[in-house]
Amino acid sequence: MAATPIKPLMLLAIAFLASVCVSSRSDQENPFIFKSNRFQTLYENENGHIRLLQKFDKRSKIFENLQNYRLLEYKSKPHTLFLPQYTDADFILVVLNGKATLTVLKSNDRNSFNLERGDTIKLPAGTIAYLANRDDNEDLRVLDLAIPVNKPGQLQSFLLSGTQNQPSLLSGFSKNILEAAFNTNYEEIEKVLLEQQEQEPQHRRSLKDRRQEINEENVIVKVSREQIEELSKNAKSSSKKSVSSESGPFNLRSRNPIYSNKFGKFFEITPEKNQQLQDLDIFVNSVDIKEGSLLLPNYNSRAIVIVTVTEGKGDFELVGQRNENQGKENDKEEEQEEETSKQVQLYKAKLSPGDVFVIPAGHPVAINASSDLNLIGFGINAENNERNFLAGEEDNVISQVQRPVKELAFPGSSHEIDRLLKNQKQSYFANAQPLQRE
């Protein structure tokens, strides 16, 4: 009696190795891609903006485990400052472009850090911080992964100084409490810390005008070169040699890439290497793929990876199951789900700067770069995660299948399978152009 073929391996192999017809979905029907227009603008003025990506679990039921993770993008022009604030969420901050000075406040201390591209730091929930673009010419772009601590998936920010859109957190207290707390009368508190209501003397006019300007500019304001120099003169730089800092910034490229060849480089910092990432169980990676190159098909065993395209263009293909684009409101009966789970579905999308895509655990993915491509990824459930490649000379999990099982799982003989697997002489990254045969 013939043995039953091993279906999971066969499905993966068919999806990536065999030339069979698999139905695909467009960007609109693809739940794994979040185009840049799915960001909501929280603040915007002539100096920059803050944008928040829509909730992941609103796209598909497969992202239910991401309901407490949000992605924000900060952008500001040279010589500008994000005013002091704190948020009820843990942040992992990554600098995408530009040069910044980040100042972090504590009850009895403060630390300032000069940050550049690739620098990463964790800001615990409730940390008061402000961020300046210290570059003379280049815009600052920062990516934040936020994990709220109060209400799942919802962020709340508190400003030390008020704006037209959001009053100062101090203005929420009663006059009596403020007078007792600062040991002075309310008029003085209002004049110094809160909105100024009365006409100021002429010698204070410029300060009042500046205050009005800040109100109109929301939370991003213009600062002078002298102010930038004062903010950054005692700031520390990230460690280029170590990624194990307990509280300071670390750089994603401070160590050699874990995968590298002439077609691409893959840098990754895991919780085992960095204490800041341990409590959150998150890894952070940066991937460079050369134009015309391919990140070979692979999948993560446990991690759900949120990936942002920072530079370049390309295509990605992800293999999942049918109907994963359905939202929570479209849940099927259990027996219908069991039936559709047996069907392989190919999801494809074009990638452009600002796009975000999500790779669920166990879902094989391949990425093709049509121009030099850079990606930043946050991996949720990082502990004990394994990345398994389905093609390539090294670390190819299919090559580890024993000979008798290969003959049961695949239509070809074990000799033919081994010969096929050895055709690819590259590992991890390869030429995206298929081999031309006569």
Side-chain angles (χ1 to χ4, degrees), residues 27-31 33-41 51-55 58-59 70 354-356:
D27 291 359
Q28 291 78 7
E29 297 176 311
N30 187 341
I33 183 74
F34 295 75
K35 303 301 285 184
S36 59
N37 59 8
R38 290 188 178 271
F39 278 89
Q40 172 193 358
T41 300
R51 301 195 305 159
L52 176 68
L53 188 65
Q54 73 169 111
K55 292 183 177 180
K58 294 300 183 183
R59 290 295 304 276
R70 304 300 302 272
D355 292 346
V356 176

Side-chain angles (χ1 to χ4, degrees), residues 128-153:
I128 298 177
Y130 43 94
L131 185 71
N133 182 348
R134 60 187 172 92
D135 196 86
D136 294 334
N137 302 303
E138 187 176 8
D139 286 353
L140 175 66
R141 291 179 60 220
V142 172
L143 195 65
D144 274 352
L145 181 68
I147 306 98
V149 296
N150 281 327
K151 193 171 182 180

Side-chain angles (χ1 to χ4, degrees), residues 406-407 410 412-422:
K406 286 178 182 175
E407 296 183 345
F410 302 105
S413 67
S414 62
H415 175 73
E416 291 172 327
I417 295 169
D418 291 340
R419 186 175 61 186
L420 174 67
L421 295 178
K422 292 178 181 178

